[in-house]
DNA sequence: TTGAAAGCGATACCAC
DNA sequence: GTGGTATCGCTTTCAA
């Protein structure tokens, strides 16, 4: 219950407090005999160095702030899981902020900055230029994950969402579909906007008549996909190819279609985005754009370590990855 | 880039450093005029109090350590999401450790303790008595989530897993099934052991012949459920009622059964455990035991705040909740 | 109210 | 190698 500090250990071991500190520092210079005595005393007292006090002087907390929109969403839960493991291997700890899907990171960043995090990783949401400037001024590197935003001093790791939309459009076109639909994610999110733009632009470029392209509003969730598909499929001009801004919505579409008696992919082609693990499930066999999670993570870790070292070459740069089309059985081919 | 401390603010505002500190303390006693001047100076310099330095003296970090096994698993992702939001509302920050499903919390706790977390929440895994004692000695409250372990000084919030197993057995029995199977989660986990025990005991108590009860080993994942079901259903003595230690395995079972041409629930009844959001999906309509997430969270937060206040009445106590049977369409009734 | 000064628990530079 | 001491940025008496 009573706190034990390096002074207590020093007293018990009969050495100076400095020596105790040295034993717990990576490049110690302590005689083997003293070191033993100190470690023994530490063990007896249950002593643990206080990293907060250490941070105060070293100016480094080994804390990485992660702000993430909707940890519970399938894709980001996987992302967080992998990322936090890798950070742990680097000796970094994660301090986590979960914000709403529609929220910005601005609200929570001040708190994170108060904890003097060594760096910030912001996923699935963005921050204002002002806040970016504030982080920069404090010398806190910011890495944006999955937002294509060009901000002074911040690094961005992102998949090419627009290209992903085009890839799906191409797949639909090559396999001769007639009427298309897009089910949107939360409208204000950039991810949604770019996926939609790529898909729509490609269809229009190829000469598809604009009124052969339908659109429904969703919110990335299964339920919203289910509802949107139900509306689309009960109308006279029902589509035979639906692209969803996220995999969960696509699952909803598949289920809704089957509930109405349609067969996938014979009557209806469905494609999603992200390639969450469920996309492989036997019922769905969903064609989708895979986020290359491993590459994205590697890039994130690389940029992070470089910026922590003070290397700023990745600053104000967007690192864009191409999504990989995963063709499964939810899209009619030929 | 250059750090700014309360001293800088004090200098600019022409006051003492103490006064600056007071302005940023909850129960300040500063004249309105001075306060304004200080706030203005702080704004100009971009000053933010350093919570680490504060923690050093207040002996409270407002950090809550959460260690969780497999953040990416459906149930725990939801748990983490809700929990972190609630903690944020309390002004607490989350420092997160993601460990492997088969790992213990012991390995990572020392690090967490070095950060002087105010409390620890350990989910889906357990810790040794020694480590529990160490936390207690340091005065760090420990709350175990979803492990029924009686440890000195630690509080536990848990669902009654054994009872859940019995509930499913009862449901199967009441609706006249003939041959039963249990698909296990990772064998070493307590959750799996208790769910299995409840299910098996109830079946045997009711006079079911032991060789009418099959068992397959899984690992909580969809794939393992799919594989186990494929084995079970291709054998001569195939079961007509399968209970899975987790929902994802149950989804795998449903898909495997359908792939083999069986109809759910006419040919086969399937039940899971946890009631993850996907259990409601139209394809699955999974009968399962719901973890009362809201109640569990409330209890967790309550115990946490009590223990932070120094109230120790919940120490060494297991708070057991009853899981709620959710009957959907994956089990044949009558 | 306000300012001076002690201390929280470490690191790092200094002689020795 | 070792110990003494200043310092990190704050909170908290204690006088004034």
């Amino acid at each position: 219950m009573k706190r034990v500090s390096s002074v207590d250990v020093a007293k018990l071991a009969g050495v100076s407090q400095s020596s105790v500190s040295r034993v717990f520092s990576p490049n110690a210079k302590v005689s083997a005999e003293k070191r033993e005595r100190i470690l023994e005393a530490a063990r007896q007292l249950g002593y643990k160095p206080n990293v907060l006090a250490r941070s105060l002087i070293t100016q480094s907390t080994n804390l990485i702030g992660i702000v993430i929109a909707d940890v519970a969403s399938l894709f980001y839960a996987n992302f967080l899981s992998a990322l936090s493991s890798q950070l742990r291997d680097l000796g970094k700890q994660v301090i986590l902020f979960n914000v709403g899907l529609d929220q910005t990171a601005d609200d929570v960043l001040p708190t994170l900055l108060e904890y003097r995090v060594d760096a910030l990783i912001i996923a699935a949401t963005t921050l204002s230029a002002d806040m970016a400037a504030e982080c920069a001024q404090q010398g806190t590197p910011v890495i944006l994950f999955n937002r294509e935003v060009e901000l002074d001093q911040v690094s961005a790791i992102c998949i090419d969402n627009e290209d992903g939309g085009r890839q799906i459009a191409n797949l639909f076109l090559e396999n001769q579909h007639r009427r298309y639909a897009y089910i949107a994610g939360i409208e204000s999110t950039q991810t949604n906007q770019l996926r939609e733009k790529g898909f729509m632009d490609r269809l229009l470029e190829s000469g598809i008549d604009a009124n052969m392209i339908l659109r429904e509003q969703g919110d990335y969730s299964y339920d919203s996909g289910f509802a949107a598909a139900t509306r689309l499929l009960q109308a006279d001009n029902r589509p035979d190819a639906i692209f969803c801004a996220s995999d969960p919505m696509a699952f909803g579409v598949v289920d809704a279609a089957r509930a109405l008696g349609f067969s996938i992919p014979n009557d209806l082609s469905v494609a999603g985005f992200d390639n969450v693990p469920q996309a492989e499930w036997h019922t769905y066999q969903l064609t989708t754009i895979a986020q290359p999670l491993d590459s994205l993570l590697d890039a994130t870790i690389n940029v992070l370590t470089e910026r922590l070292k003070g290397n700023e070459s990745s600053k104000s740069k967007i690192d864009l990855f191409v999504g990989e089309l995963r063709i499964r059985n939810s899209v009619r081919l030929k």
Side-chain angles (χ1 to χ4, degrees), chain A:
Chain A
M1 201 58 184
K2 68 165 217 315
R3 294 147 4 210
V4 29
S5 78
S6 56
V7 176
D8 304 315
V9 178
K11 226 170 273 169
L12 180 59
V15 299
S16 76
Q17 182 270 336
S18 312
S19 295
V20 177
S21 171
R22 287 190 184 100
V23 170
F24 292 92
S25 293
N27 21 9
K29 281 290 210 169
V30 195
S31 67
E33 178 250 352
K34 259 201 168 59
R35 147 173 267 109
E36 266 323 302
R37 219 158 12 112
I38 292 175
L39 284 175
E40 176 50 29
R43 207 169 305 132
Q44 267 182 47
L45 298 174
Y47 168 76
K48 282 201 186 9
N50 184 328
V51 295
L52 274 52
R54 173 185 297 159
S55 304
L56 207 51
I57 185 127
T58 60
Q59 301 295 325
S60 157
T61 55
N62 283 327
L63 286 173
I64 306 293
I66 298 191
V67 4
I68 195 164
D70 196 14
V71 182
S73 73
L74 301 176
F75 177 70
Y76 289 105
N78 283 290
F79 167 71
L80 175 62
S81 171
L83 180 62
S84 65
S85 298
Q86 294 213 24
L87 288 176
R88 178 145 57 90
D89 293 344
L90 287 170
K92 307 290 179 194
Q93 307 318 320
V94 168
I95 161 163
L96 176 74
F97 263 94
N98 182 27
V99 303
L101 255 175
D102 41 2
Q103 248 179 305
T104 157
D106 278 38
D107 317 327
V108 304
L109 284 201
T111 309
L112 243 18
L113 290 176
E114 284 184 11
Y115 277 89
R116 300 301 195 260
V117 294
D118 287 353
L120 279 165
I121 298 178
I122 299 179
T125 184
T126 187
L127 74 173
S128 67
D130 280 358
M131 193 51 83
E134 194 164 331
C135 294
Q137 193 216 334
Q138 289 215 7
T140 309
V142 176
I143 301 176
L144 227 48
F145 184 85
N146 233 336
R147 281 305 116 120
E148 260 175 73
V149 180
E150 205 142 347
L151 276 173
D152 199 36
Q153 310 268 59
V154 338
S155 315
I157 311 283
C158 194
I159 195 184
D160 191 334
N161 285 296
E162 189 172 340
D163 175 74
R166 302 181 80 87
Q167 288 192 56
I168 297 295
N170 276 328
L171 181 70
F172 285 169
L173 289 166
E174 285 162 12
N175 292 284
Q176 298 145 13
H177 291 77
R178 298 185 42 258
R179 205 185 301 268
Y180 305 85
Y182 175 72
I183 302 183
I186 292 177
E187 195 140 20
S188 59
T189 60
Q190 189 202 32
T191 314
N192 173 66
Q193 291 161 8
L194 292 174
R195 292 171 188 181
E196 174 164 9
K197 182 173 191 317
F199 182 68
M200 295 296 190
D201 284 3
R202 181 68 194 92
L203 289 182
L204 294 172
E205 277 168 32
S206 78
I208 298 294
D209 191 305
N211 55 34
M212 297 298 265
I213 312 179
L214 310 172
R215 181 187 194 279
E216 281 284 339
Q217 184 66 47
D219 62 7
Y220 290 122
S221 72
Y222 172 92
D223 286 343
S224 74
F226 193 97
T230 304
R231 291 192 295 271
L232 285 169
L233 296 173
Q234 286 179 327
D236 293 337
N237 59 345
R238 66 175 184 82
D240 61 346
I242 302 183
F243 170 42
C244 302
S246 77
D247 284 348
M249 287 200 296
F251 302 143
V253 170
V254 169
D255 285 359
R258 288 183 178 148
L260 292 171
F262 295 104
S263 151
I264 309 281
N266 297 329
D267 303 327
L268 176 70
S269 290
V270 181
F273 208 114
D274 285 343
N275 193 36
V276 298
Q278 286 78 356
E280 267 188 303
W281 285 9
H282 195 272
T283 335
Y284 294 116
Q285 294 287 334
L286 187 71
T287 292
T288 188
I289 300 290
Q291 301 238 24
L293 194 52
D294 289 343
S295 312
L296 291 169
L297 280 173
D298 285 352
T300 305
I301 296 289
N302 277 341
V303 169
L304 179 71
T305 48
E306 286 307 312
R307 294 207 53 180
L308 286 179
K309 273 191 250 165
N311 179 340
E312 317 219 308
S313 59
S314 64
K315 264 179 16 183
S316 319
K317 215 191 78 184
I318 299 183
D319 207 347
L320 213 54
F321 286 74
V322 175
E324 300 155 14
L325 181 61
R326 282 283 199 304
I327 300 189
R328 298 202 182 90
N329 290 324
S330 68
V331 172
R332 177 176 53 72
L333 300 183
K334 188 195 52 87

